[in-house]
Amino acid sequence: VKLREIGEFGLIARIKKSWPPSSPQVFQGMGDDAAVSSLLPGNDLVSTVDLLIEGIHFDLSWIAPRQLGRKSLAVNLSDLAAMGAVPRWALISLAVPSGLGVEFVDEFFAGFKEMAEAHGVLLIGGDTSSSPDRLYLSVTLLGEGKKEFLLYRHGAKPGDHLYVTGTLGDSLLGLHLARNLKGRAPSLPEKFLLDRHFDPTPRLREGKILAERRLAKAMIDVSDGLLSDLGHICGESGVGAVVWAERIPQSEAFRSLVPGAAAEGWKYALKGGEDYELLFSASAESASELETVASEWPCGLTWIGRIEPPSHGLVVQGENGPVDPSGLKGYDHFT
Amino acid sequence: VKLREIGEFGLIARIKKSWPPSSPQVFQGMGDDAAVSSLLPGNDLVSTVDLLIEGIHFDLSWIAPRQLGRKSLAVNLSDLAAMGAVPRWALISLAVPSGLGVEFVDEFFAGFKEMAEAHGVLLIGGDTSSSPDRLYLSVTLLGEGKKEFLLYRHGAKPGDHLYVTGTLGDSLLGLHLARNLKGRAPSLPEKFLLDRHFDPTPRLREGKILAERRLAKAMIDVSDGLLSDLGHICGESGVGAVVWAERIPQSEAFRSLVPGAAAEGWKYALKGGEDYELLFSASAESASELETVASEWPCGLTWIGRIEPPSHGLVVQGENGPVDPSGLKGYDHFT
């Protein structure tokens, strides 16, 4: 069955049926001109939107529809994680080629719902259309938190330690792998890296703890690449930073697959995007509490550098002195 | 200057520069992982999203970039008008062909800002990307109101009067005109109809009054066509309805251009979409207060029908009895 056979209202009915029309904080979900929901008393609204376009952000020959559903919400969840906010509601804009099967849409929303349920998110609205040539997705995610507890890109101070959750570079390597597998079944380490790219895990629990316990001062998620995203913290905080290249955390799978990874692997991590790890600064005094808290995080936490006065700029320190990071900028969609 | 020359961050900087990073209700605007804003105490969140795709929803050979900027927000404002909500903040997903000039983007956002400022809306977030082939726009609009005052598609009761603001059919006729002008300068009535399609006016003031004074019981905006949108009210309210065809309001410009409009023009109005007028039911007891209130509305208000028991279905009553509305359904993107 193709989408053109069930039509726009058929598609909407298919999407609506698995979501409750109301819930404790949702007075009106899908099915009206707008959704109506309530923040918890005293909370502020946290909102973000992410755009995913077939052929730019994903390729349907590599990503399964269910993974795409999961990832389209995960990238937004990662943004709220980086604020230390609690995600609540999603709205989706979906433009689908009308020749696509309804199974695709069903699988997509099965994945979307898996990710949503894992984090207490409800789909409360959206808009759909046919698309002449490619799949377009825009997901708006709404959440809440108290503005004085939330974490921003500004707020880092010279002397702060710089931390990152999980490991970096896996996602970029996973993407390279996908492009070169050519039908071959992936090995276990390869499977790990593919999952890191196609099915990333947003660090919501970690972000919320960092915000609630006031352990971080400035935070961002690593979506454009460490160098680019650290640049945003530096820019918004008016500071410089040093990153110790050899401390950048790499996964075992990554090390087992990149020849000379110990020396060169950090280049992937500096440049690679879509890791969806949290990068943040914390005062030196918080270090021991932070270590205690993070010791329970399955993803781990690594101290990778320090915030410096603005005059220092952003320096990547290798074993033999500063490394020239030019040519390692993050991804720019237009250039 | 093309977008590929200024890049993604250049584009974002260009968009950001004309919007304040914070304001009384906005703690963090664009430039972080998410925006942070505050509803007024006791208010609920009202959220909606609309998708506009080049070649499906608009054609750049007919709509000016500034009009597109205005309309991309206006269609969302109309959704909040239909709830009786107060619009506050917008987020935009924008995918632009990289060969497009920056002047296009500047004009688009000039129009977007005009419409935003006219209704007290701030742009607080977004995502941008290049697009391989066509312009793709998704605007999320967030607003507020008290859920017990807001107006939904449900709530209409048999015996209610059915009203519509403004005039219907203008937008569809305007679109037909645009397709057939072929470079000829439009006459004044033609210009009026073109504006009704390319630069619609959301009925926010009217919607808010209807909600605050509890004058309406169920409301929707006419975006898919009167028949289709009244169908939503009937479906969600569990009622039927009769529409008196000859009462459907037509503009002077419409009547001057459609031969036999008095008899046949209502077909445009029943089928035509994108009128962005408000369609609502009100109890018979509210009629006189409603007439007094609406007498100050420049767009006017017309009593066009009545809510009936569900067994009556949706009937369009012509001069010589019921009219068969089949073949007059609203627009479906997939069929």
Side-chain angles (χ1 to χ4, degrees), chain A residues 332-335, chain B residues 1-11 96-102 105 130-132:
Chain A
D332 185 315
H333 287 299
F334 286 103
T335 54
Chain B
V1 183
K2 304 295 182 193
L3 283 172
R4 71 171 67 91
E5 297 168 55
I6 64 168
E8 188 175 4
F9 293 117
L11 171 61
V96 201
S98 59
L100 217 62
V102 291
V105 174
S130 67
S131 172

Side-chain angles (χ1 to χ4, degrees), chain B residues 220-242:
Chain B
I220 193 170
D221 71 324
V222 183
S223 56
D224 293 330
L226 177 63
L227 208 61
S228 180
D229 292 314
L230 179 54
H232 292 312
I233 284 187
C234 290
E236 297 294 324
S237 296
V239 297
V242 58

Side-chain angles (χ1 to χ4, degrees), chain B residues 213-281:
Chain B
R213 301 182 68 148
R214 295 183 185 274
L215 286 169
K217 290 163 77 177
M219 187 152 71
I220 193 170
D221 71 324
V222 183
S223 56
D224 293 330
L226 177 63
L227 208 61
S228 180
D229 292 314
L230 179 54
H232 292 312
I233 284 187
C234 290
E236 297 294 324
S237 296
V239 297
V242 58
V243 171
W244 304 306
E246 71 275 13
R247 287 224 197 168
I248 292 174
Q250 294 160 1
S251 67
E252 275 186 54
F254 185 97
R255 272 194 232 115
S256 75
L257 287 164
V258 177
E264 296 293 319
W266 54 266
K267 287 190 182 169
Y268 271 89
L270 285 171
K271 181 188 177 184
E274 300 211 61
D275 285 309
Y276 300 110
E277 297 295 345
L278 296 177
L279 173 70
F280 62 95
S281 90

Side-chain angles (χ1 to χ4, degrees), chain A residues 178-197:
Chain A
R179 286 181 172 149
N180 293 293
L181 272 182
K182 300 186 201 311
R184 179 173 62 80
S187 67
L188 270 182
E190 286 172 340
K191 179 74 173 55
F192 172 87
L193 297 170
L194 291 168
D195 279 351
R196 290 276 289 160
H197 182 78

Side-chain angles (χ1 to χ4, degrees), chain B residues 100-229:
Chain B
L100 217 62
V102 291
E103 304 76 25
F104 180 93
V105 174
D106 289 347
E107 273 293 294
F108 174 88
F109 278 101
F112 190 91
K113 200 172 183 219
E114 276 173 10
M115 185 58 69
E117 285 182 339
H119 297 285
V121 170
L122 286 176
L123 184 66
I124 60 168
D127 195 12
T128 60
S129 172
S130 67
S131 172
D133 28 38
R134 62 187 72 233
L135 191 61
Y136 167 97
L137 277 168
S138 173
V139 175
T140 303
L141 184 63
L142 307 173
E144 58 185 319
K146 290 189 174 33
K147 58 178 178 285
E148 61 274 22
F149 281 87
L150 295 172
L151 290 163
Y152 306 88
R153 294 176 181 182
H154 55 83
K157 294 272 181 289
D160 284 0
H161 293 187
L162 194 62
Y163 293 90
V164 71
T165 61
T167 53
L168 298 180
D170 297 336
S171 180
L172 182 62
L173 189 55
L175 179 61
H176 281 304
L177 271 174
R179 285 180 171 148
N180 294 293
L181 271 181
K182 301 186 198 313
R184 178 174 63 78
S187 67
L188 271 182
E190 286 172 339
K191 178 77 172 56
F192 171 87
L193 296 170
L194 292 167
D195 280 350
R196 289 278 287 161
H197 182 78
F198 294 108
D199 196 7
T201 303
R203 304 298 184 197
L204 284 155
R205 195 173 70 104
E206 294 77 11
K208 187 160 177 275
I209 289 171
L210 291 168
E212 284 180 353
R213 301 182 68 148
R214 295 183 185 274
L215 286 169
K217 290 163 77 177
M219 187 152 71
I220 193 170
D221 71 324
V222 183
S223 56
D224 293 330
L226 177 63
L227 208 61
S228 180
D229 292 314

Side-chain angles (χ1 to χ4, degrees), chain A residues 2 14 16 49 53 96 134 140 150 177 179 182 184 192 202 207-208 215 239 242 249 270 280 295 300 307-308:
Chain A
K2 304 295 182 193
R14 227 173 164 91
K16 272 173 73 173
V49 65
I53 305 174
V96 200
R134 61 185 74 233
T140 302
L150 295 172
L177 270 173
R179 286 181 172 149
K182 300 186 201 311
R184 179 173 62 80
F192 172 87
K208 187 161 175 273
L215 286 169
V239 297
V242 58
L270 286 170
F280 63 93
S295 66
I307 299 296
E308 301 282 353

Side-chain angles (χ1 to χ4, degrees), chain A:
Chain A
V1 184
K2 304 295 182 193
L3 283 172
R4 70 171 69 90
E5 295 168 57
I6 64 167
E8 187 175 6
F9 294 117
L11 172 61
I12 293 169
R14 227 173 164 91
I15 299 169
K16 272 173 73 173
K17 74 170 190 293
S18 56
W19 300 86
S22 70
S23 74
Q25 282 183 255
V26 175
F27 190 72
Q28 172 69 55
M30 282 178 280
D32 215 300
D33 295 294
V36 180
S37 56
S38 306
L39 298 175
L40 295 176
N43 269 1
D44 299 293
L45 176 66
V46 185
S47 39
T48 187
V49 65
D50 267 298
L51 180 60
L52 293 175
I53 305 174
E54 183 183 351
I56 300 270
H57 301 89
F58 62 89
D59 186 319
L60 289 181
S61 52
W62 298 326
I63 193 164
R66 186 177 287 243
Q67 285 176 323
L68 184 63
R70 292 175 58 86
K71 186 167 177 175
S72 69
L73 185 56
V75 298
N76 284 282
L77 287 165
S78 181
D79 280 321
L80 288 211
M83 304 296 289
V86 177
R88 294 287 185 216
W89 312 297
L91 299 97
I92 189 166
S93 274
L94 184 66
V96 200
S98 59
L100 218 59
V102 291
E103 303 77 24
F104 181 94
V105 174
D106 288 346
E107 273 292 295
F108 174 88
F109 277 101
F112 190 91
K113 200 171 182 221
E114 276 172 10
M115 184 60 68
E117 285 182 340
H119 298 284
V121 170
L122 286 176
L123 184 65
I124 59 168
D127 195 12
T128 61
S129 173
S130 68
S131 170
D133 28 37
R134 61 185 74 233
L135 193 60
Y136 283 89
L137 279 168
S138 172
V139 176
T140 302
L141 183 64
L142 306 173
E144 58 184 319
K146 291 190 173 32
K147 58 177 178 283
E148 61 275 21
F149 280 86
L150 295 172
L151 290 163
Y152 305 88
R153 295 178 179 180
H154 56 82
K157 294 274 181 290
D160 284 0
H161 293 188
L162 195 62
Y163 293 90
V164 71
T165 60
T167 54
L168 298 180
D170 297 335
S171 179
L172 183 61
L173 189 54
L175 179 60
H176 281 303
L177 270 173
R179 286 181 172 149
N180 293 293
L181 272 182
K182 300 186 201 311
R184 179 173 62 80
S187 67
L188 270 182
E190 286 172 340
K191 179 74 173 55
F192 172 87
L193 297 170
L194 291 168
D195 279 351
R196 290 276 289 160
H197 182 78
F198 293 108
D199 197 6
T201 303
R203 305 299 184 195
L204 283 155
R205 195 172 68 105
E206 293 79 9
K208 187 161 175 273
I209 289 171
L210 291 169
E212 284 180 352
R213 301 183 66 147
R214 295 184 184 274
L215 286 169
K217 290 162 76 178
M219 187 150 73
I220 192 170
D221 71 323
V222 183
S223 56
D224 292 332
L226 177 63
L227 210 62
S228 180
D229 292 314
L230 179 54
H232 292 313
I233 285 189
C234 290
E236 296 295 322
S237 296
V239 297
V242 58
V243 171
W244 304 307
E246 70 276 15
R247 288 222 198 170
I248 293 172
Q250 294 160 2
S251 67
E252 275 185 56
F254 185 98
R255 272 196 229 113
S256 75
L257 287 165
V258 178
E264 295 294 319
W266 54 265
K267 286 188 184 172
Y268 271 88
L270 286 170
K271 182 189 175 184
E274 300 210 65
D275 286 308
Y276 300 111
E277 298 295 345
L278 297 177
L279 173 69
F280 63 93
S281 91
S283 68
E285 296 77 50
S286 301
S288 71
E289 186 182 352
L290 196 53
E291 274 173 42
T292 308
V293 165
S295 66
E296 292 174 24
W297 296 352
C299 64
L301 183 70
T302 310
W303 179 16
I304 59 163
R306 197 174 50 227
I307 299 296
E308 301 282 353
S311 58
H312 284 228
L314 204 172
V315 176
V316 179
Q317 190 73 32
E319 280 186 336
N320 307 310
V323 172
D324 178 13
S326 60
L328 291 175
K329 281 279 173 203
Y331 190 69
D332 185 315
H333 287 299
F334 286 103
T335 54

